[in-house]
Amino acid sequence: MTVKYKTQSTCSRSITFDKADDGTITNISFEGGCNGNLKAISILCNGMKAEELVSKLKGNTCGFKNTSCADQLARAVEQA
């Protein structure tokens, strides 16, 4: 299943990824945001199970914001 998530309070505008029936997350891409960092997050998280991804990234913040692109990815995966 392909998921597109509209982010909130981050530089990226949206996140798209595929979630397999077994909970594996692949093909993660961000629209907007810090290109290099978000490419790295996408590569590092590719093939991860949803539960592991959420446990590693949820709650990560950026600067003075209460969220980050990584946190938004975790929230998107959690909702999917």
Side-chain angles (χ1 to χ4, degrees):
M1 147 176 74
T2 300
V3 176
K4 184 162 184 171
Y5 178 84
K6 185 175 175 359
T7 58
Q8 298 175 15
S9 302
T10 61
C11 298
S12 65
R13 294 179 294 282
S14 66
I15 305 167
T16 304
F17 59 91
D18 292 331
K19 183 177 181 186
D21 291 339
D22 69 354
T24 302
I25 306 299
T26 57
N27 301 317
I28 304 163
S29 64
F30 290 81
E31 181 184 353
C34 303
N35 188 38
N37 290 333
L38 297 178
K39 281 181 186 173
I41 289 171
S42 298
I43 291 167
L44 291 170
C45 293
N46 191 56
M48 232 183 235
K49 296 287 187 182
E51 298 81 19
E52 180 183 8
L53 187 150
V54 170
S55 72
K56 288 181 184 239
L57 299 182
K58 190 169 182 184
N60 186 5
T61 60
C62 182
F64 296 105
K65 299 176 183 178
N66 64 356
T67 190
S68 67
C69 292
D71 179 60
Q72 290 290 298
L73 174 58
R75 292 177 190 206
V77 167
E78 203 170 41
Q79 284 184 9

